Amino acid sequence: MMLLVLGALLLLFCTLDVWYFLRGAQVFVQAWFQPRILDILAEQSIDGMVLPHDLDYMGHMNNSRYLRECDFARFHHYMRNGLFLASCKLGAKMVVGASTIRYRRSLAFREAFEIRTKVVGWDEKAFYLEQRFVSKKDGFVSAIMLCRQNVVHCSPERIIEFVCKKKIECPEFPEDLKHWMSFISTSSQALRAESGLEQKNK
């Protein structure tokens, strides 16, 4: 019987990213019992530490782990400011449409850090967020990410109005975000043109 249980657990861990779902559940519970953040534009922080399964072959935090940690930090952010529950009640879904991360200094094994997440703006289709990995050792920003969180079956304005019970003006986009949004738009146009050309040549 014990061998069957161990075999089932091994099969589960080999076929499913169990730690991802456990971590997601832990973030959910943690955010649920923390005080609500009323200001949707307020910066929020979540703590982390570089563990053995985060390391690459050079002993630094694997590049892909930054993106994974950002997923959890965004979920924590949306839970505390009410955007996640509001989107669920409105039948909306939020999916990452684009993200760009810039690495400035590696995070080493057992190095403590915090991820500072904030909504910097929105348009008719998406929220735009900035996420920073800040080392607790000296406050250095080790990496910074911009993320476009697309809203499906709803709009950011409606979700915000549902949470705040009033309309909120979108703040002016920072210059770096404007350039990034322009890049996304240009890339999309180029890919659409490329796709159209491929269909024409078939």
Side-chain angles (χ1 to χ4, degrees):
M1 184 63 179
M2 183 62 73
L3 286 176
L4 285 176
V5 172
L6 290 174
L9 287 174
L10 180 61
L11 181 62
L12 182 65
F13 273 81
C14 289
T15 57
L16 186 68
D17 192 349
V18 176
W19 293 121
Y20 177 86
F21 293 100
L22 289 176
R23 178 70 187 285
Q26 182 241 332
V27 170
F28 177 86
V29 172
Q30 178 186 359
W32 185 265
F33 288 102
Q34 287 181 323
R36 169 78 184 278
I37 303 294
L38 298 178
D39 183 1
I40 61 168
L41 295 173
E43 183 179 80
Q44 298 180 39
S45 297
I46 186 171
D47 293 334
M49 178 178 286
V50 183
L51 300 175
H53 63 268
D54 297 321
L55 301 177
D56 60 17
Y57 61 89
M58 295 183 66
H60 301 143
M61 186 165 168
N62 188 299
N63 289 350
S64 64
R65 287 289 177 175
Y66 288 85
L67 303 180
R68 184 180 175 119
E69 290 300 311
C70 282
D71 274 348
F72 294 126
R74 282 194 306 276
F75 181 49
H76 180 268
H77 184 86
Y78 292 141
M79 279 290 297
R80 292 196 66 194
N81 63 18
L83 292 180
F84 174 74
L85 293 179
S87 65
C88 291
K89 290 177 181 178
L90 292 171
K93 295 186 181 299
M94 293 194 285
V95 296
V96 175
S99 63
T100 297
I101 188 166
R102 186 165 72 89
Y103 304 101
R104 302 183 67 231
R105 188 178 76 188
S106 299
L107 289 169
F109 177 52
R110 291 189 58 79
E111 185 172 352
F113 60 89
E114 61 179 358
I115 304 176
R116 299 176 184 172
T117 302
K118 64 180 179 181
V119 174
V120 292
W122 56 87
D123 57 22
E124 66 278 2
K125 294 182 179 179
F127 288 105
Y128 296 90
L129 297 93
E130 178 191 273
Q131 297 184 273
R132 296 184 176 204
F133 287 78
V134 182
S135 174
K136 288 195 169 185
K137 180 174 60 178
D138 56 7
F140 188 83
V141 179
S142 298
I144 183 168
M145 187 172 92
L146 291 175
C147 175
R148 172 176 170 156
Q149 192 97 54
N150 292 342
V151 178
V152 184
H153 305 311
C154 196
S155 69
E157 292 92 344
R158 190 177 172 201
I159 294 174
I160 291 170
E161 190 170 352
F162 185 89
V163 172
C164 302
K165 310 304 181 189
K166 62 180 181 179
K167 289 190 176 182
I168 304 293
E169 288 295 323
C170 176
E172 185 177 352
F173 291 144
E175 285 302 315
D176 58 343
L177 180 60
K178 290 179 183 177
H179 290 304
W180 186 65
M181 292 169 67
S182 177
F183 160 74
I184 294 173
S185 178
T186 301
S187 176
S188 294
Q189 290 173 11
L191 289 171
R192 282 195 293 268
E194 182 181 306
S195 178
L197 185 61
E198 288 176 355
Q199 290 294 329
K200 187 177 179 180
N201 291 333
K202 284 184 179 180

